[in-house]
Amino acid sequence: GIALGLNSVGVTVLLISKLILLTLIGKWNDKHGHDVIVRRLGIVGAIGYVSLIMITSYFASDSGWFGTTKLFILTLMSFVVLAVGVSAIPAAYWLSAGKIPGISTTRGIAIVGLMMAAVLLLLRPLFAFIAGSVGVEFALAFTGITLMGSALMSKHLRPVNAL
């Protein structure tokens, strides 16, 4: 059979959690506004994710006492909490792309799609560089730190006239 590593299982758990949350994001955006939802979920996701990564890292030093199964479950829980934090961000980007004065909705969405693809293309080598030079724990925490930055900036960033 095909062996499933932690990375594959973690990404699968992240995506399933994100899909479930995306069914709720529209209602929450309508009720509270997308900048509030991005900020609240981002802060909860960032703090929860970094906390779980730190707890997992702490117990991983003596996994015989804590148990590898419990570490695996903690790691998967961190992916679920990360999904909570990032699930509202794409919807906010697409919404904002359609509201920029001076740019058509189609062009705005294409620009956001281009930016998201570029970030995904550059993120993996950056993550590998950070993990190799500083350590995996910091690289994982870096994800939570950038999520916190996105959450905090959502209050201040508004689409402006592009002309």
Side-chain angles (χ1 to χ4, degrees), residues 3-28:
L4 275 175
L6 176 61
N7 187 26
S8 300
V9 175
V11 169
T12 302
V13 167
L14 175 79
L15 292 175
I16 290 171
S17 303
K18 191 174 171 186
L19 286 171
I20 292 168
L21 287 162
L22 285 173
T23 62
L24 304 170
I25 294 298
K27 292 177 186 176
W28 294 345

mmCIF file of all heavy atoms in Angstrom, residues 3-28:
data_model
loop_
_atom_site.group_PDB
_atom_site.id
_atom_site.type_symbol
_atom_site.label_atom_id
_atom_site.label_comp_id
_atom_site.label_asym_id
_atom_site.label_seq_id
_atom_site.Cartn_x
_atom_site.Cartn_y
_atom_site.Cartn_z
ATOM 1 N N ALA A 3 2.151 4.482 1.807
ATOM 2 C CA ALA A 3 2.346 4.988 3.162
ATOM 3 C C ALA A 3 1.903 6.446 3.240
ATOM 4 O O ALA A 3 2.216 7.249 2.358
ATOM 5 C CB ALA A 3 3.812 4.860 3.557
ATOM 6 N N LEU A 4 1.151 6.771 4.257
ATOM 7 C CA LEU A 4 0.724 8.150 4.485
ATOM 8 C C LEU A 4 1.586 8.752 5.582
ATOM 9 O O LEU A 4 1.630 8.228 6.690
ATOM 10 C CB LEU A 4 -0.745 8.195 4.921
ATOM 11 C CG LEU A 4 -1.778 8.204 3.814
ATOM 12 C CD1 LEU A 4 -3.169 8.121 4.406
ATOM 13 C CD2 LEU A 4 -1.662 9.448 2.976
ATOM 14 N N GLY A 5 2.252 9.841 5.270
ATOM 15 C CA GLY A 5 3.057 10.525 6.263
ATOM 16 C C GLY A 5 2.235 11.563 7.001
ATOM 17 O O GLY A 5 1.082 11.849 6.653
ATOM 18 N N LEU A 6 2.859 12.140 8.022
ATOM 19 C CA LEU A 6 2.189 13.180 8.809
ATOM 20 C C LEU A 6 1.803 14.354 7.933
ATOM 21 O O LEU A 6 0.724 14.933 8.087
ATOM 22 C CB LEU A 6 3.096 13.636 9.952
ATOM 23 C CG LEU A 6 2.576 14.783 10.804
ATOM 24 C CD1 LEU A 6 1.277 14.381 11.479
ATOM 25 C CD2 LEU A 6 3.606 15.197 11.825
ATOM 26 N N ASN A 7 2.655 14.699 6.968
ATOM 27 C CA ASN A 7 2.370 15.820 6.083
ATOM 28 C C ASN A 7 1.082 15.586 5.297
ATOM 29 O O ASN A 7 0.222 16.461 5.220
ATOM 30 C CB ASN A 7 3.554 16.039 5.143
ATOM 31 C CG ASN A 7 3.408 17.286 4.314
ATOM 32 O OD1 ASN A 7 2.740 18.231 4.704
ATOM 33 N ND2 ASN A 7 4.027 17.289 3.164
ATOM 34 N N SER A 8 0.932 14.390 4.724
ATOM 35 C CA SER A 8 -0.272 14.074 3.944
ATOM 36 C C SER A 8 -1.522 14.080 4.809
ATOM 37 O O SER A 8 -2.549 14.641 4.422
ATOM 38 C CB SER A 8 -0.123 12.710 3.272
ATOM 39 O OG SER A 8 0.973 12.701 2.406
ATOM 40 N N VAL A 9 -1.429 13.457 5.964
ATOM 41 C CA VAL A 9 -2.587 13.405 6.869
ATOM 42 C C VAL A 9 -2.907 14.808 7.373
ATOM 43 O O VAL A 9 -4.069 15.209 7.436
ATOM 44 C CB VAL A 9 -2.329 12.439 8.043
ATOM 45 C CG1 VAL A 9 -3.469 12.482 9.041
ATOM 46 C CG2 VAL A 9 -2.127 11.025 7.531
ATOM 47 N N GLY A 10 -1.872 15.577 7.723
ATOM 48 C CA GLY A 10 -2.081 16.938 8.221
ATOM 49 C C GLY A 10 -2.746 17.829 7.200
ATOM 50 O O GLY A 10 -3.691 18.564 7.516
ATOM 51 N N VAL A 11 -2.277 17.777 5.959
ATOM 52 C CA VAL A 11 -2.876 18.603 4.906
ATOM 53 C C VAL A 11 -4.309 18.164 4.641
ATOM 54 O O VAL A 11 -5.196 18.998 4.423
ATOM 55 C CB VAL A 11 -2.015 18.550 3.620
ATOM 56 C CG1 VAL A 11 -2.736 19.155 2.438
ATOM 57 C CG2 VAL A 11 -0.683 19.250 3.857
ATOM 58 N N THR A 12 -4.566 16.861 4.684
ATOM 59 C CA THR A 12 -5.933 16.367 4.485
ATOM 60 C C THR A 12 -6.859 16.869 5.590
ATOM 61 O O THR A 12 -7.969 17.340 5.317
ATOM 62 C CB THR A 12 -5.931 14.823 4.442
ATOM 63 O OG1 THR A 12 -5.074 14.396 3.395
ATOM 64 C CG2 THR A 12 -7.327 14.287 4.204
ATOM 65 N N VAL A 13 -6.402 16.794 6.829
ATOM 66 C CA VAL A 13 -7.212 17.290 7.951
ATOM 67 C C VAL A 13 -7.434 18.795 7.814
ATOM 68 O O VAL A 13 -8.541 19.297 8.031
ATOM 69 C CB VAL A 13 -6.533 16.947 9.299
ATOM 70 C CG1 VAL A 13 -7.158 17.705 10.450
ATOM 71 C CG2 VAL A 13 -6.592 15.458 9.545
ATOM 72 N N LEU A 14 -6.393 19.525 7.424
ATOM 73 C CA LEU A 14 -6.512 20.977 7.212
ATOM 74 C C LEU A 14 -7.563 21.285 6.156
ATOM 75 O O LEU A 14 -8.437 22.133 6.367
ATOM 76 C CB LEU A 14 -5.153 21.555 6.813
ATOM 77 C CG LEU A 14 -5.147 23.029 6.433
ATOM 78 C CD1 LEU A 14 -5.159 23.894 7.685
ATOM 79 C CD2 LEU A 14 -3.942 23.360 5.583
ATOM 80 N N LEU A 15 -7.505 20.593 5.020
ATOM 81 C CA LEU A 15 -8.439 20.876 3.929
ATOM 82 C C LEU A 15 -9.871 20.482 4.268
ATOM 83 O O LEU A 15 -10.812 21.212 3.932
ATOM 84 C CB LEU A 15 -7.969 20.181 2.649
ATOM 85 C CG LEU A 15 -6.683 20.731 2.048
ATOM 86 C CD1 LEU A 15 -6.245 19.900 0.852
ATOM 87 C CD2 LEU A 15 -6.833 22.189 1.667
ATOM 88 N N ILE A 16 -10.054 19.349 4.932
ATOM 89 C CA ILE A 16 -11.414 18.947 5.319
ATOM 90 C C ILE A 16 -11.992 19.950 6.309
ATOM 91 O O ILE A 16 -13.147 20.369 6.186
ATOM 92 C CB ILE A 16 -11.417 17.515 5.900
ATOM 93 C CG1 ILE A 16 -11.141 16.509 4.787
ATOM 94 C CG2 ILE A 16 -12.737 17.208 6.596
ATOM 95 C CD1 ILE A 16 -10.898 15.086 5.268
ATOM 96 N N SER A 17 -11.183 20.374 7.285
ATOM 97 C CA SER A 17 -11.644 21.381 8.256
ATOM 98 C C SER A 17 -11.989 22.686 7.561
ATOM 99 O O SER A 17 -12.992 23.330 7.861
ATOM 100 C CB SER A 17 -10.567 21.628 9.311
ATOM 101 O OG SER A 17 -10.216 20.452 9.959
ATOM 102 N N LYS A 18 -11.139 23.074 6.622
ATOM 103 C CA LYS A 18 -11.373 24.318 5.887
ATOM 104 C C LYS A 18 -12.650 24.234 5.056
ATOM 105 O O LYS A 18 -13.424 25.190 5.006
ATOM 106 C CB LYS A 18 -10.161 24.615 5.003
ATOM 107 C CG LYS A 18 -10.168 25.988 4.414
ATOM 108 C CD LYS A 18 -8.882 26.251 3.680
ATOM 109 C CE LYS A 18 -9.008 27.544 2.918
ATOM 110 N NZ LYS A 18 -7.871 27.802 2.068
ATOM 111 N N LEU A 19 -12.889 23.101 4.412
ATOM 112 C CA LEU A 19 -14.120 22.933 3.629
ATOM 113 C C LEU A 19 -15.360 23.047 4.510
ATOM 114 O O LEU A 19 -16.351 23.677 4.123
ATOM 115 C CB LEU A 19 -14.118 21.581 2.906
ATOM 116 C CG LEU A 19 -13.196 21.471 1.699
ATOM 117 C CD1 LEU A 19 -13.119 20.030 1.218
ATOM 118 C CD2 LEU A 19 -13.644 22.397 0.592
ATOM 119 N N ILE A 20 -15.322 22.448 5.680
ATOM 120 C CA ILE A 20 -16.455 22.534 6.605
ATOM 121 C C ILE A 20 -16.680 23.989 7.023
ATOM 122 O O ILE A 20 -17.808 24.483 7.037
ATOM 123 C CB ILE A 20 -16.233 21.625 7.826
ATOM 124 C CG1 ILE A 20 -16.279 20.155 7.386
ATOM 125 C CG2 ILE A 20 -17.262 21.903 8.917
ATOM 126 C CD1 ILE A 20 -15.801 19.168 8.440
ATOM 127 N N LEU A 21 -15.583 24.683 7.363
ATOM 128 C CA LEU A 21 -15.706 26.077 7.799
ATOM 129 C C LEU A 21 -16.176 26.996 6.675
ATOM 130 O O LEU A 21 -16.895 27.962 6.928
ATOM 131 C CB LEU A 21 -14.373 26.559 8.358
ATOM 132 C CG LEU A 21 -14.032 25.984 9.729
ATOM 133 C CD1 LEU A 21 -12.559 26.148 10.021
ATOM 134 C CD2 LEU A 21 -14.866 26.648 10.797
ATOM 135 N N LEU A 22 -15.779 26.700 5.438
ATOM 136 C CA LEU A 22 -16.192 27.551 4.319
ATOM 137 C C LEU A 22 -17.703 27.548 4.118
ATOM 138 O O LEU A 22 -18.253 28.502 3.568
ATOM 139 C CB LEU A 22 -15.479 27.131 3.035
ATOM 140 C CG LEU A 22 -14.021 27.543 2.939
ATOM 141 C CD1 LEU A 22 -13.365 26.932 1.712
ATOM 142 C CD2 LEU A 22 -13.874 29.054 2.941
ATOM 143 N N THR A 23 -18.381 26.493 4.567
ATOM 144 C CA THR A 23 -19.839 26.480 4.464
ATOM 145 C C THR A 23 -20.476 27.482 5.424
ATOM 146 O O THR A 23 -21.608 27.901 5.215
ATOM 147 C CB THR A 23 -20.404 25.071 4.748
ATOM 148 O OG1 THR A 23 -20.075 24.693 6.082
ATOM 149 C CG2 THR A 23 -19.856 24.054 3.768
ATOM 150 N N LEU A 24 -19.742 27.877 6.473
ATOM 151 C CA LEU A 24 -20.272 28.808 7.468
ATOM 152 C C LEU A 24 -19.807 30.250 7.258
ATOM 153 O O LEU A 24 -20.451 31.178 7.749
ATOM 154 C CB LEU A 24 -19.840 28.355 8.871
ATOM 155 C CG LEU A 24 -20.225 26.940 9.271
ATOM 156 C CD1 LEU A 24 -19.535 26.547 10.558
ATOM 157 C CD2 LEU A 24 -21.733 26.826 9.400
ATOM 158 N N ILE A 25 -18.713 30.431 6.553
ATOM 159 C CA ILE A 25 -18.090 31.755 6.432
ATOM 160 C C ILE A 25 -19.035 32.766 5.796
ATOM 161 O O ILE A 25 -19.100 33.916 6.229
ATOM 162 C CB ILE A 25 -16.775 31.659 5.630
ATOM 163 C CG1 ILE A 25 -15.745 30.837 6.397
ATOM 164 C CG2 ILE A 25 -16.215 33.024 5.291
ATOM 165 C CD1 ILE A 25 -15.322 31.402 7.725
ATOM 166 N N GLY A 26 -19.774 32.371 4.784
ATOM 167 C CA GLY A 26 -20.676 33.307 4.111
ATOM 168 C C GLY A 26 -21.691 33.912 5.065
ATOM 169 O O GLY A 26 -21.920 35.125 5.070
ATOM 170 N N LYS A 27 -22.300 33.074 5.888
ATOM 171 C CA LYS A 27 -23.287 33.563 6.865
ATOM 172 C C LYS A 27 -22.625 34.483 7.879
ATOM 173 O O LYS A 27 -23.182 35.514 8.253
ATOM 174 C CB LYS A 27 -23.945 32.381 7.583
ATOM 175 C CG LYS A 27 -24.820 31.540 6.699
ATOM 176 C CD LYS A 27 -25.377 30.359 7.464
ATOM 177 C CE LYS A 27 -26.131 29.438 6.522
ATOM 178 N NZ LYS A 27 -26.619 28.237 7.189
ATOM 179 N N TRP A 28 -21.440 34.102 8.347
ATOM 180 C CA TRP A 28 -20.740 34.927 9.337
ATOM 181 C C TRP A 28 -20.326 36.270 8.737
ATOM 182 O O TRP A 28 -20.417 37.302 9.395
ATOM 183 C CB TRP A 28 -19.510 34.206 9.870
ATOM 184 C CG TRP A 28 -19.824 32.977 10.672
ATOM 185 C CD1 TRP A 28 -21.037 32.622 11.203
ATOM 186 C CD2 TRP A 28 -18.927 31.940 11.024
ATOM 187 N NE1 TRP A 28 -20.929 31.424 11.863
ATOM 188 C CE2 TRP A 28 -19.650 30.987 11.780
ATOM 189 C CE3 TRP A 28 -17.583 31.710 10.784
ATOM 190 C CZ2 TRP A 28 -19.057 29.839 12.284
ATOM 191 C CZ3 TRP A 28 -16.990 30.573 11.294
ATOM 192 C CH2 TRP A 28 -17.724 29.646 12.033
#
